[in-house]
Amino acid sequence: MKMNVKKILGSAAAIFISIPALFANNERGIDLYRAGLYEAAKYFFLEQTGQSPKSQAENYYYLGQVYKDLEKADSAAYYYAKAIEAEANYPFGYIGEGSLALMSGKMSEAEELFKKAEGMNKKDASVSVAIAEAYIEVKQYPKAQQSIEKAKKADKKYAGTFMAEGDLFKAKEENLGLAAGNYESALRLNKKEKSAYLKLEKLYEQENPKVALYYLDQMIANEPE
């Protein structure tokens, strides 16, 4: 049994972006982005208006992320800069710029930008996690692990740290069981971590479709809307 999860999620995305009541914050757009539904996420974020400076900065950051994953680096750079312009103390705009520097082989520039972002809130594990994900993208795995360890020190119970470590194991392809275990740990900490269900589904999609469907069912059970 082969599933077209992107098609299933694409139908859900059409519902998400067609209901104005869901435009209260960036959460739905972030869900769409993390599900790999980049065009739907882009539409969502572009439609957002009247946000607070912090929410607007977050909006621009995720637009940058969308364009980066669509391999449109110039547009990504534009929106990362807009995130910084909207809220100078929002660290993720700098992380976005750092991720582009990494992709261009500018390691020193990237590390300076990451250092600046970390200095804004050393106790925020999500900052170190975002930096770890940037390193994973360019296969700088030891650097990614260092950032994950920083996240663990900042907050041992942050689900995103386990998501990043799962992504690291998955990227290295050394032990997919450890990847799955980390995603499971993320769900034990936060049952609404939808991207964990989706990543678990992807891990089991070919090997065990029944288990893959189980995770999709669990995601829906936890958030039926």
Side-chain angles (χ1 to χ4, degrees):
M1 179 174 62
K2 187 175 181 180
M3 297 175 293
N4 189 334
V5 175
K6 284 290 182 72
K7 187 174 181 180
I8 295 170
L9 293 172
S11 298
I15 297 171
F16 285 162
I17 64 178
S18 66
I19 304 176
L22 295 179
F23 280 18
N25 56 44
N26 294 318
E27 182 181 354
R28 290 300 181 189
I30 294 170
D31 287 344
L32 293 170
Y33 165 72
R34 289 178 176 169
L37 299 165
Y38 302 132
E39 291 297 333
K42 181 174 71 173
Y43 177 84
F44 181 97
F45 290 124
L46 289 171
E47 287 294 300
Q48 297 285 65
T49 59
Q51 294 182 300
S52 68
K54 185 176 180 179
S55 292
Q56 187 64 67
E58 181 182 62
N59 180 303
Y60 287 142
Y61 167 69
Y62 277 100
L63 272 170
Q65 293 289 86
V66 167
Y67 279 111
K68 182 178 69 174
D69 288 342
L70 290 173
E71 298 183 357
K72 296 181 179 179
D74 289 346
S75 295
Y78 172 79
Y79 280 108
Y80 291 144
K82 291 285 286 183
I84 294 168
E85 180 184 335
E87 179 59 73
N89 292 321
Y90 180 73
F92 296 94
Y94 300 100
I95 295 172
E97 291 188 333
S99 71
L100 292 180
L102 282 181
M103 291 169 66
S104 299
K106 301 174 182 177
M107 179 66 74
S108 295
E109 180 181 331
E111 289 180 348
E112 283 299 315
L113 287 161
F114 294 156
K115 185 177 180 180
K116 186 170 186 175
E118 287 177 323
M120 291 178 179
N121 194 338
K122 293 183 179 180
K123 295 183 179 181
D124 187 348
S126 67
V127 171
S128 294
V129 164
I131 293 170
E133 294 286 6
Y135 280 125
I136 291 169
E137 285 180 335
V138 295
K139 300 182 180 180
Q140 292 282 341
Y141 301 140
K143 291 281 189 181
Q145 188 66 59
Q146 288 174 14
S147 293
I148 287 169
E149 294 307 317
K150 286 182 182 180
K152 289 179 180 179
K153 288 181 180 179
D155 185 351
K156 294 179 180 179
K157 295 184 178 181
Y158 177 56
T161 306
F162 292 94
M163 292 298 298
E165 194 152 39
D167 289 346
L168 179 58
F169 281 116
K170 184 179 178 182
K172 292 164 70 174
E173 297 184 349
E174 292 178 355
N175 192 326
L176 295 181
L178 285 175
N182 273 279
Y183 296 146
E184 288 279 9
S185 294
L187 287 175
R188 283 193 287 273
L189 290 167
N190 181 7
K191 290 186 179 297
K192 292 188 176 182
E193 186 66 60
K194 290 178 281 297
S195 58
Y197 294 108
L198 296 175
K199 290 184 179 188
L200 283 161
E201 179 280 324
K202 194 66 177 175
L203 284 177
Y204 288 103
E205 186 175 42
Q206 300 299 324
E207 181 182 339
N208 195 329
K210 287 185 178 179
V211 173
L213 280 172
Y214 164 81
Y215 285 113
L216 290 180
D217 289 341
Q218 287 296 303
M219 180 175 68
I220 294 167
N222 277 290
E223 294 204 37
E225 75 278 9

